[in-house]
Amino acid sequence: MKRLFVVLTLILSKTLFCQETVVETFNSKILNEERVIRIHIPKTFDTFKKFPLFLTLDGEYMFYNLVGNSELLLATEKIPETVIVGIDQNYPDFSKKYMRWQDCNYDAKKGKLRGKGIEFKKFITQELIPYLTSKYKIGNYKVLAGHSLTASYTLFLLKDDAFTSVIALSPYISKSLSTKIIEKLSTSNRFVSLYVSTSEHDLQGHLKTTKKMDSLLITGTARLDAQYIFNFFEKETHYSLINRSFPVALQSIFREYQLITEKEIEFEKDVLAFLKNKYKNIKEHYDIDLPIRKDDLETIYWVAEEREDWELLQRIGDFSIANFPAYSDGYFMLSAVAEQKKKYTKDLELYQKGYERLGDDVLNKVDYYKNIERLQKIIENKE
């Protein structure tokens, strides 16, 4: 007999703790100048855990867009909490040239940084990252984002292992740089990811070169979808594609982090092994010590019961109780297995333990008790 247990719970709004955005002036010895950085601190910063880093160039207009999209996706558990940092670059220097052009100076033909572009990379990797790591609990997973010129610049830091993931919105990708990026994605012995986007009304050079690199990666034999994501947005412009790109990019690079869906495990035979491997990957890829989430445990629970795979359900039930001894579902799983074996006394004992662990917010508690009465009658009739 197949039994589905539906827990009706009260929907409670989550209290949002204070989050802080600060603006700091960073005195760079490498650049011999002061730089403005914007920092968004996660609400659980006072805990002892480490956080992934999102660093965006063009901080004046990219930072707040990134913060807004991150908060929305965080609320639905699509991404983890992160420290978000923006570097301001859209103001003129002493020569009246915009800082972004000086910071991101590179030779397109040779695919190499030059001038201040070399020093700016050192500033990021040798000064800013160590400072952020020590003050804001940054872990090993670091993401760099840029737009247009600064997007092209981000690709140099992915190539040299400074960042695990890069989000490049409308970059211009020269042939020499494209070759190096393709080689990086094809031969890397560590987890790396690259998100690239362009649009129908993007700058023509950017549209052409990003599509060219995408076509080379599609036809390449070493392309890994987990490492490379490309978006082409119809009707969008060079700037409007930013709003379209960030939600997709953030979810793409944190694909492993997201909650398990039934579709995702439709063809997985051992869903418990899949669950364990998922959290192993979260630790390895994102440097996040994430406890097993009850929602993920419930998903594989329902799948195993739908399949009537009682041996698998037994293992999931044991795993659930070991990790969540105060949680009712593990006992209900083992109860269902016991009933299939017609071990009704054991069935009742396990079911009662699950019932005792139901919270006061479960509105249909009376339905659970009816099942206890049903089992009691079965045992009485057998005696």
Side-chain angles (χ1 to χ4, degrees):
M1 179 182 70
K2 187 161 116 177
R3 300 182 301 177
L4 296 177
F5 305 105
V6 180
V7 180
L8 300 179
T9 58
L10 294 173
I11 299 176
L12 301 175
S13 61
K14 294 183 179 179
T15 302
L16 294 179
F17 296 97
C18 292
Q19 299 170 21
E20 185 179 5
T21 297
V22 297
V23 179
E24 295 185 12
T25 300
F26 190 94
N27 188 1
S28 171
K29 294 181 180 178
I30 291 176
L31 298 177
N32 193 29
E33 61 190 23
E34 292 183 339
R35 301 305 297 257
V36 175
I37 58 173
R38 304 165 190 266
I39 305 163
H40 182 71
I41 304 169
K43 62 185 178 183
T44 62
F45 181 75
D46 289 336
T47 65
F48 291 100
K49 63 183 179 181
K50 295 181 292 185
F51 299 93
L53 169 68
F54 269 107
L55 178 63
T56 183
L57 306 180
D58 286 320
E60 292 94 335
Y61 66 90
M62 291 277 279
F63 174 78
Y64 292 104
N65 197 316
L66 180 55
V67 169
N69 278 287
S70 296
E71 289 302 313
L72 179 60
L73 294 172
L74 176 63
T76 54
E77 295 191 71
K78 300 292 186 183
I79 66 171
E81 286 190 302
T82 60
V83 172
I84 302 173
V85 178
I87 304 175
D88 283 8
Q89 294 181 284
N90 288 273
Y91 59 93
D93 65 1
F94 65 91
S95 65
K96 297 184 179 181
K97 294 180 180 179
Y98 272 80
M99 295 295 287
R100 70 197 303 264
W101 291 98
Q102 307 294 341
D103 293 340
C104 301
N105 192 2
Y106 72 95
D107 187 322
K109 290 183 178 180
K110 295 181 180 180
K112 293 182 178 180
L113 299 178
R114 65 185 178 188
K116 191 181 177 183
I118 298 173
E119 300 306 307
F120 189 64
K121 177 186 173 183
K122 290 180 182 178
F123 157 67
I124 292 174
T125 59
Q126 298 177 24
E127 282 188 319
L128 186 58
I129 295 296
Y131 167 74
L132 295 172
T133 299
S134 63
K135 186 173 181 179
Y136 294 103
K137 304 177 183 178
I138 304 302
N140 292 325
Y141 188 71
K142 301 176 183 68
V143 184
L144 180 64
H147 174 242
S148 196
L149 170 66
T150 65
S152 303
Y153 188 81
T154 63
L155 300 175
F156 289 95
L157 280 80
L158 176 70
K159 179 176 69 70
D160 294 336
D161 287 339
F163 288 83
T164 315
S165 296
V166 159
I167 298 175
L169 311 184
S170 181
Y172 176 88
I173 308 176
S174 64
K175 182 178 179 180
S176 57
L177 182 56
S178 176
T179 300
K180 293 177 181 179
I181 293 301
I182 292 170
E183 180 182 358
K184 176 67 178 179
L185 293 177
S186 302
T187 62
S188 178
N189 58 4
R190 70 184 185 102
F191 175 74
V192 293
S193 67
L194 170 63
Y195 174 90
V196 176
S197 68
T198 185
S199 60
E200 182 179 2
H201 303 296
D202 199 357
L203 302 179
Q204 286 302 302
H206 296 226
L207 173 59
K208 181 180 178 180
T209 59
T210 53
K211 278 195 164 186
K212 177 64 175 177
M213 188 181 78
D214 181 61
S215 66
L216 293 173
L217 280 165
I218 288 175
T219 57
T221 57
R223 178 186 174 187
L224 298 175
D225 287 337
Q227 293 180 310
Y228 171 71
I229 306 98
F230 175 78
N231 274 151
F232 171 77
F233 296 107
E234 295 181 354
K235 300 181 181 180
E236 301 297 345
T237 67
H238 182 60
Y239 283 97
S240 68
L241 67 81
I242 298 173
N243 296 322
R244 295 286 301 279
S245 298
F246 267 143
V248 182
L250 293 173
Q251 292 182 76
S252 297
I253 64 176
F254 279 115
R255 185 183 306 169
E256 286 278 359
Y257 176 87
Q258 293 161 26
L259 291 170
I260 294 173
T261 64
E262 290 191 28
K263 183 178 180 180
E264 183 182 7
I265 55 176
E266 182 179 359
F267 302 107
E268 291 288 338
K269 185 175 181 180
D270 191 338
V271 292
L272 180 57
F274 179 89
L275 174 78
K276 293 178 180 179
N277 189 60
K278 177 184 181 71
Y279 282 80
K280 178 184 176 183
N281 287 339
I282 288 173
K283 172 59 179 175
E284 291 179 354
H285 291 176
Y286 308 122
D287 195 21
I288 298 173
D289 291 306
L290 182 68
I292 301 291
R293 291 167 289 192
K294 291 180 181 179
D295 286 345
D296 279 337
L297 198 55
E298 283 191 2
T299 298
I300 66 169
Y301 161 24
W302 297 125
V303 168
E305 191 168 51
E306 284 285 340
R307 296 176 183 175
E308 299 186 9
D309 188 336
W310 308 115
E311 185 276 332
L312 177 59
L313 193 60
Q314 174 79 43
R315 290 168 50 220
I316 296 173
D318 289 335
F319 181 81
S320 177
I321 291 172
N323 286 273
F324 301 102
Y327 188 41
S328 61
D329 274 15
Y331 295 96
F332 290 147
M333 295 179 215
L334 296 185
S335 169
V337 174
E339 181 152 357
Q340 291 303 310
K341 298 178 179 180
K342 298 184 178 180
K343 296 181 178 180
Y344 297 109
T345 301
K346 184 68 173 177
D347 182 7
L348 177 59
E349 177 187 343
L350 289 164
Y351 198 89
Q352 285 176 322
K353 286 183 178 179
Y355 178 81
E356 290 167 2
R357 287 162 173 77
L358 290 175
D360 293 334
D361 57 347
V362 178
L363 302 181
N364 62 332
K365 215 168 180 179
V366 63
D367 294 328
Y368 286 87
Y369 194 77
K370 286 179 181 179
N371 203 48
I372 291 176
E373 294 175 330
R374 179 185 67 82
L375 291 171
Q376 289 172 336
K377 287 181 180 180
I378 292 175
I379 293 171
E380 288 173 5
N381 291 336
K382 287 181 68 68
E383 293 176 349

